[in-house]
Every structure is written in structure tokens, then in C-alpha cells.
Amino acid sequence: MADHEGAATPIPFLDLKAQQRRIGPAIRERVAAVLDHCQFILGPEVAELERRLADFAGAGHCVALSSGTDALQIAMMAEGIGRGDAVFLPAFTYTATAEVPLVLGATPVFVDVDPDTFQIDVAHLRFRVEQVRAEGRLRPAAIVGVDLFGQPAPWAALREVAAEHAMFTLDDCAQSFGATLGGQPLGREADATAISFFPSKPLGGYGDGGALLTDDPARAKLYRSLRSHGEGDTRYEVLRTGMNGRLDTLQAAVLLAKLDAFGWELERRRAIADAYDASFAALPGLRTPRRVADSESAWAVYAVLLADEAAREAAQAALRARGISSAVYYPRPLHRQPAYEPHHDGAPLPVSEMLASRIMALPMHPELSDRDVTRICAAVAEAVSGIAGAPSPAIS
Ligand SMILES: *Cc1c(COP(=O)(O)O)cnc(C)c1O
């Protein structure tokens, strides 16, 4: 692992170059094989990746796609979700989760999240479903559970709510492939599971990519058709309106090499999270993320809460002064985005707004050395105890 020359060497938020120093030869070998056979669209690496991902998750089927967003879209297209349909989803997530129902003409219904785990709040979901039913304007069609930051959404409860109202369940697992719930890898908690291979996700490619996992062979068949323009059993038979949603063979080749290292990388992320938790437990100015019970996170993001927006700004500045990058996921809840606000029914979502003003993510990637982690922990302690300025107020 790369060593650092001095204490002031910047610690990046993500370090894909360091990862390439570790697994570059395996990636080059896989890519060279594709350059030799030239089957750039749906080549043998795509089928191999689909088998390996399905095996990893214990899912019946995997269909590799062009992005996590396209995975969400194809899953909803396959259910015929569109105008007049309500799609329930958390307000505190990445934009794609709300974008897809809107692209299909459906209405996102924003649900608040839990202040400790940051996952969708099931009691509020129940309230929102009843609200939509009572209003009678939209049909409750789907629940998109987002496994935020690497941790699983409360799936048992989400399935219960969905079953009560005959709704489709979609797992937006873009950030959390590799996590477990009840000892089982994510991938079978919902009717379909969407994953993303965006470079910064735990299993990241070298470009855009995604996949859908499902145990239902009929759905898998539909997903394959929809990713290739709705084709039937022969290429020039168009059965439905689809899209171009295929994963490139070159991306599949990169991902196959990445998958060989994925288990070690998850272990490393978990060790770093444990070190952060232990180091920050006694700091009054900061709250560590609550672990979802009976699960193991994929640690896409390690996010802490500061007392308020000013404390966060001060902490970020103090970390920056020590060469340590931080980030804010997400500075705005989705119902406050200019594009989505007009589609929001005005329901208050106070926890999502509170998190947007106080959350801060620390570097979290497998290339962080133990020395890096020690430096980050010391810098965070200094930043929130106010060595760089006013101390952060204590928070509950
Ligand atoms: C990254 C992400 C997506 C979209 O994935 P892309 O591959 O970038 O299209 C969707 N949902 C969530 C929660 C994400 O974090």
C-alpha cells in the first residue's frame, strides 16, 4: 500500500489510481481479451459477469445494464409504471431515485427518513400510503427502498407495506451491493434489485454500468428485451417499446477483475468504519452513523452528523486545512430540488432537511492505509473539539 511522505500529504475522498496500482494487471488482462475477440456488445464477459453477480447475491437472474439509473428505469418500465401511479421513495437519496418515475410519467411520493440510520422511515411510509389512498388521485404502484450509504433499508417492513397494497417493490441498491441483511447478501429483498457500477460505488467500473437482479424468470426475460429495444426472440421483432440499456463488454471485463478483489475491499471498508466508530464514540460534537440491526454495511459512504450547518462548515474547513477531504451527501433533499419541488405535494419532511444541513461524509475507500485512518481520526477530533476555532456544540 502506498505510503505518504509527510503529514501534510492530502488524503483524497476516493483513490482510483491507488486501486489500479493494486489490481491494474488483472484489469489489463481482462480488457486485452476483449480487444482480441472484439465482441464489444453483449460479448462473453457480459454473460460471465451476470452469472457471477447472480451467484454472489444468491439471486436467480442478473441482467447487466448501462447504468444504475437505467436499471431503475427498466425495472419500472417492466411493471408498466406511468401516469397516475404513485411511487413511494425516500426524500433523502440520490437524484436518480426520483428522476426515473418522473421520466415515466409517474409521481414520486417523498417519504422521510430515520434520523439515526438515514434509511426510509416505515411509519411515515405507512402514513404517506394512506394519504395517497385517501386522496384517491394516484394509484399506489411501487415502493423504492434505497439502501443508503451501504446499509440496508428496513426490508421486512417495506415488503409488509407493499403486500398490504399490492405494490411492486424495487430495491435501489446502487450504493450497497456487497452489504448483507440477516446474514444474506442484498439482492433478494425486493421483487427486483438495481445496482450501479458508477466508479465511486463499492463495486465500481471504469465508466457507467448497472444491473438488475431478480428471482423471477419472467421479469428477467422482460429486462433482457427492454435493454435491447424491446426485441422478441429474433432481433428484428419488436414486442414492446424498450431502450438501449446494455452494459458494454469492456465494462464487464473491468468489473470481472474488480469482483475478484471485492471481498477484500469490503473487509477493508468494514475495518475502517470500525476504526472510525471507535475513535469518534467519545466526541461530543459529532454523531456516528447508527448501524442497521442484523446487517453488514458495504460502507459506500461513512457519514457523521454535526450539530448544525455552521459546525459542519467549520469542521470541513478544519479538515481541509489538514489535507483531508470531506463531502456532503446530500446538501438538498429531493423535494427541495427545483426540478422536483413542483411534483411534491408539500408534505413536511423535517428529518431529510435536518440531515441535509448537518451531514458530512469522510474518506472511505479500500486504499486508505492504517496511517491515513489514524490521521483522519486525529484531524476529526481536532476539528470538532475546536482546536481550529470555536468548539462544535454538543449534540444529542
Ligand atoms: C448512484 C446511484 C444511482 C444511479 O446509478 P448510476 O449508475 O449513476 O446511474 C441510483 N440511486 C442511488 C441511490 C445512487 O446512489
Side-chain angles (χ1 to χ4, degrees):
M1 201 162 290
D3 208 350
H4 295 286
E5 292 78 51
T9 312
I11 298 180
F13 201 73
L14 181 72
D15 197 345
L16 294 176
K17 283 190 176 154
Q19 185 190 51
Q20 239 200 80
R21 286 195 287 276
R22 183 163 50 81
I23 59 173
I27 289 171
R28 277 164 223 275
E29 201 175 303
R30 279 288 191 172
V31 167
V34 179
L35 295 180
D36 281 343
H37 67 54
C38 289
Q39 294 178 59
F40 297 119
I41 303 294
L42 298 185
E45 284 79 5
V46 175
E48 185 182 349
L49 179 70
E50 288 176 339
R51 275 194 304 277
R52 295 234 355 234
L53 293 172
D55 285 351
F56 185 100
H61 307 271
C62 173
V63 180
L65 300 167
S66 40
S67 71
T69 306
D70 290 342
L72 295 172
Q73 180 164 331
I74 284 174
M76 289 195 209
M77 286 168 80
E79 307 302 314
I81 289 170
R83 207 155 295 284
D85 288 335
V87 176
F88 297 89
L89 54 97
F92 193 70
T93 176
Y94 183 62
T95 178
T97 318
E99 172 186 28
V100 168
L102 282 166
V103 162
L104 297 176
T107 302
V109 177
F110 295 108
V111 179
D112 217 353
V113 296
D114 181 279
D116 298 317
T117 63
F118 317 140
Q119 310 296 321
I120 193 167
D121 176 339
V122 176
H124 194 239
L125 170 66
R126 287 184 182 282
F127 173 80
R128 295 289 272 152
V129 174
E130 289 311 327
Q131 215 179 9
V132 165
R133 287 181 71 94
E135 215 172 63
R137 197 172 52 86
L138 298 169
R139 177 185 79 101
I143 297 174
V144 186
V146 177
D147 307 308
L148 198 74
F149 295 166
Q151 298 214 87
W155 279 108
L158 296 186
R159 281 193 298 271
E160 209 178 287
V161 178
E164 283 164 20
H165 303 277
M167 282 190 276
F168 170 63
T169 51
L170 176 56
D171 183 355
D172 181 344
C173 191
Q175 300 179 1
S176 304
F177 189 68
T180 66
L181 182 59
Q184 302 300 315
L186 291 186
R188 304 185 66 196
E189 298 297 328
D191 295 322
T193 297
I195 58 184
S196 165
F197 308 125
F198 187 82
S200 63
K201 311 282 168 146
L203 181 61
Y206 285 171
D208 281 310
L212 277 167
L213 299 164
T214 183
D215 281 341
D216 179 355
R219 283 198 170 98
K221 194 168 180 224
L222 256 176
Y223 300 159
R224 288 183 194 286
S225 168
L226 287 167
R227 80 172 169 187
S228 289
H229 306 288
E231 75 182 16
D233 291 329
T234 62
R235 183 182 294 176
Y236 293 106
E237 177 187 40
V238 181
L239 296 181
R240 54 189 65 83
T241 304
M243 58 193 277
N244 179 353
R246 297 174 295 247
L247 181 76
D248 290 345
T249 308
L250 280 167
Q251 281 309 328
V254 170
L255 286 161
L256 282 164
K258 290 259 190 149
L259 202 48
D260 289 334
F262 190 46
W264 178 86
E265 293 189 351
L266 287 169
E267 290 294 312
R268 184 68 197 146
R269 286 174 186 271
R270 285 170 187 152
I272 294 165
D274 287 347
Y276 282 165
D277 274 3
S279 169
F280 304 151
L283 297 180
L286 169 158
R287 199 196 309 149
T288 56
R290 166 98 44 93
R291 309 258 180 129
V292 169
D294 203 18
S295 77
E296 274 194 299
S297 177
W299 293 112
V301 170
Y302 186 95
V304 298
L305 283 191
L306 283 306
D308 53 31
E309 198 160 0
R312 177 175 70 191
E313 253 172 49
Q316 285 201 281
L319 290 176
R320 206 177 305 122
R322 290 163 173 76
I324 290 159
S325 45
S326 62
V328 175
Y329 303 124
Y330 298 93
R332 249 189 225 232
L334 294 187
H335 66 289
R336 292 288 189 212
Q337 289 291 357
Y340 305 148
E341 210 156 18
H343 302 281
H344 177 48
D345 59 11
L349 300 158
V351 178
S352 297
E353 293 186 13
M354 177 276 284
L355 292 179
S357 67
R358 290 172 49 189
I359 205 157
M360 178 182 82
L362 294 171
M364 170 52 82
H365 57 81
E367 319 306 328
L368 292 171
S369 67
D370 289 348
R371 219 171 118 186
D372 292 334
V373 173
T374 304
R375 240 185 83 197
I376 294 165
C377 289
V380 168
E382 286 171 14
V384 302
S385 67
I387 287 174
S392 286
I395 65 168
S396 55

